[in-house]
Structures are given as C-alpha cells and as structure tokens.
Amino acid sequence: MKCNEAITFIHEYMDGDLDAQGRMDLRQHLVDCAACRQRMDQYTRTTALIRSMPRSPVPDYLVDSVMQALPGTRKRQVWTR
Amino acid sequence: MEGLEPRLAKLARNGDRDAFRELVQLYKDRIYHLAYRMLGNAQEAEDVVQDTFLRVYTNLDRYDDTHKFSTWIYRIGTNLCIDRLRKRKSTLSLDAESSEGEGIDGHDMLSSPDPLPEQQLVLSETQQVIRDAIEKLPAKYKSIVILRYLHDMSLQEISDVLNMPITTIKTRVHRGREALRKKLDHQHFF
C-alpha cells in the first residue's frame, strides 16, 4: 500500500468507515511506515483537542428573549376558534 | 411511539407556547454553541439562536415529523450561520457605516472572535490555537468539523443536516481534519 492510499484509509478508519480487509491492510502498512503512524497520531490528537474545547456559557435570558420575539398568535389558532 | 420533539412541535403548531418553550429549552444550548463556534462571536450567536427559533416557529406547519426534529433545527441554524459568514465575506471591503446598527462599520461587524466569554473560561494556549485554527477554516469545512466533533454527529447525520451527499461530507471531513492538522503542525504543536 502506498502512503497516499494509507492516508485515505486512516481517514476512513477514523470515521468508522473502513471494512475489515481495509483495517488489516492499514494495520500492516502502519507497522512498516513510521511517517503514516505519525500522521495518524496527529489526526487522533487533533480530533481529541477539538472535542475537548470548552463550551462558552449560554446567556440565562436566552429562552425568555426567544419567546418574547415570537409573533403573538399563530394562524392555526384562528382556525380553531 | 412518537418522540418528544415531534409531540412538542405538534402542540406548538396548535398554539401551545409552553410546548414551544420546551423546544427552546431543549435546543438553545446546542444552537448557541454551534453558532458561537461558527461565528466566533457571542452577540451573533445569540442572534442566530433568535433567528433559528423564529424560523422554526413560523414554519412549524412545514415540519415533517417523520424526520428528526434535531436534523431540521440544525439545518436551519447551520444555514443561518453560513449566510452570515457569506455576508461578512461580501462586506469585507466595507468602510461605510452599516445600515443595521448605529455607528457600526464593516470592520466592527467583521470583528475577530469575541474574547470575553472565553476569557472567562480561561482557554489554555492549546485551546486558543485550536479555536483559531477552527475559526480560520473555510465555511464548508468549518460547519462539518463543528457538527462532527463538537456535536458528535455521524457522517450520515451531517449529510441529512446539510442536505448533501454523504460522499461530499466524507471528503470534507477528511480535508477539514487535514487542514487542522496542518495548522497545528505549522505552529509546531506536535
């Protein structure tokens, strides 16, 4: 397997999209290729870092301000009167 | 069995505002975080939350409850964010005062990420690098990376939200991941 093919396989593996044969072929390539091992490690660290980003605080008043901005009466109410 | 959201949507469609309030409670954080990360700005994130729920409310009659409510609301929210990013781009050279706000010019509207909320969180240096790397991604990769990694969506869910073929989503996830890796590598992060 060439490295460019292995990189595609790495992406597919990370997305849970690689079949059993592909996983085996990739594993074999990674045993032999330090550069692709490093690449996979970098992707893994990148995605772990994104996932670990803290969430900014959501303003408390948001629900009220959304509700206040809604139009007063929905059309459907008119029909059912 | 009918899920919670379709039931609330049906009640809200018939004029039950408390049911709609519950939908807001359920989704406000998710839409806020999506918009905050897409736009990097607290005020705009609030505006997107407002606009998203307003659109949901006025289009409840068009919601097809055989589909997931989350897919629908994420689609509305993501599209609003993408529209705003497009508008920013098209007003990039604007020096004139904006018609939308008093004394606000194009540069203010294009302001870099709002430092306040995240300063309160005290981002580590690493997190600042990640935030900036995401911020600088082109919109078509940014939305996908955010949905994939900050909202834990599968490729299929992202495909449903963005109404794009899954093959396109796969390619963009790959490219987005590579772009972020490169940025971090460039900063000697690894």
Side-chain angles (χ1 to χ4, degrees), chain B residues 61-169:
Chain B
D61 295 331
R62 289 159 71 179
Y63 167 58
D64 172 0
D65 60 15
T66 58
H67 292 93
K68 280 169 80 176
F69 183 83
S70 60
T71 303
W72 188 51
I73 192 169
Y74 266 109
R75 182 181 298 168
I76 294 172
T78 309
N79 284 338
L80 286 168
C81 291
I82 291 171
D83 284 350
R84 279 175 180 258
L85 290 173
R86 277 203 200 110
K87 274 184 200 151
R88 275 190 200 173
K89 224 175 179 179
S90 66
T91 53
L92 208 69
S93 59
L94 264 192
D95 284 315
E97 216 169 80
S98 155
S99 56
E100 286 179 30
E102 291 163 357
I104 299 171
D105 69 19
H107 294 296
D108 288 326
M109 293 175 69
L110 291 166
S111 59
S112 53
D114 179 353
L116 270 175
E118 291 195 326
Q119 267 179 358
Q120 290 163 5
L121 286 175
V122 192
L123 286 189
S124 68
E125 207 175 310
T126 308
Q127 287 164 338
Q128 286 175 39
V129 171
I130 296 282
R131 180 196 62 188
D132 293 345
I134 296 173
E135 173 70 20
K136 291 191 179 95
L137 279 178
K140 63 180 179 180
Y141 300 136
K142 195 197 271 191
S143 54
I144 289 171
V145 164
I146 289 171
L147 293 174
R148 179 89 180 97
Y149 291 115
L150 296 169
H151 293 263
D152 275 327
M153 284 191 193
S154 67
L155 299 181
Q156 184 59 55
E157 284 172 308
I158 300 172
S159 157
D160 294 340
V161 166
L162 297 178
N163 207 16
M164 282 180 189
I166 196 159
T167 46
T168 307
I169 304 298

Side-chain angles (χ1 to χ4, degrees), chain A residues 11 15 17 39 42-43 47 49-51 54-56 61 63-65 67 69 71-72 74 76, chain B residues 13 17 21 28 33 46 50 57 61 121 123 148-150 152 170 174 177-178 180-181 189-190:
Chain A
H11 283 293
D15 291 324
D17 214 22
R39 178 74 75 102
Q42 290 181 348
Y43 287 138
T47 54
L49 286 166
I50 304 169
R51 284 186 197 279
R55 310 218 165 219
S56 48
Y61 54 80
V63 175
D64 287 333
S65 62
M67 293 306 293
R74 288 189 47 75
R76 182 64 62 92
Chain B
R13 195 156 53 208
R17 284 172 84 94
R21 193 181 181 89
K28 67 172 170 55
H33 289 134
E46 277 185 42
Q50 290 270 6
Y57 189 76
D61 295 331
L121 286 175
L123 286 189
R148 179 89 180 97
Y149 291 115
L150 296 169
D152 275 327
K170 279 181 194 176
H174 296 188
R177 191 155 46 211
E178 172 60 12
L180 288 171
R181 185 198 68 81
F189 192 80
F190 296 120

Side-chain angles (χ1 to χ4, degrees), chain A residues 13-60:
Chain A
Y13 173 75
M14 295 190 75
D15 291 324
D17 214 22
L18 192 60
D19 62 22
Q21 183 61 49
R23 290 198 297 274
M24 234 157 69
D25 294 347
L26 175 62
R27 197 173 303 131
Q28 188 53 51
H29 179 84
L30 292 175
V31 168
D32 300 334
C33 178
C36 285
R37 274 204 307 276
Q38 187 189 27
R39 178 74 75 102
M40 183 155 169
D41 176 56
Q42 290 181 348
Y43 287 138
T44 307
R45 288 169 67 187
T46 302
T47 54
L49 286 166
I50 304 169
R51 284 186 197 279
S52 71
M53 283 296 284
R55 310 218 165 219
S56 48
V58 180
D60 297 335

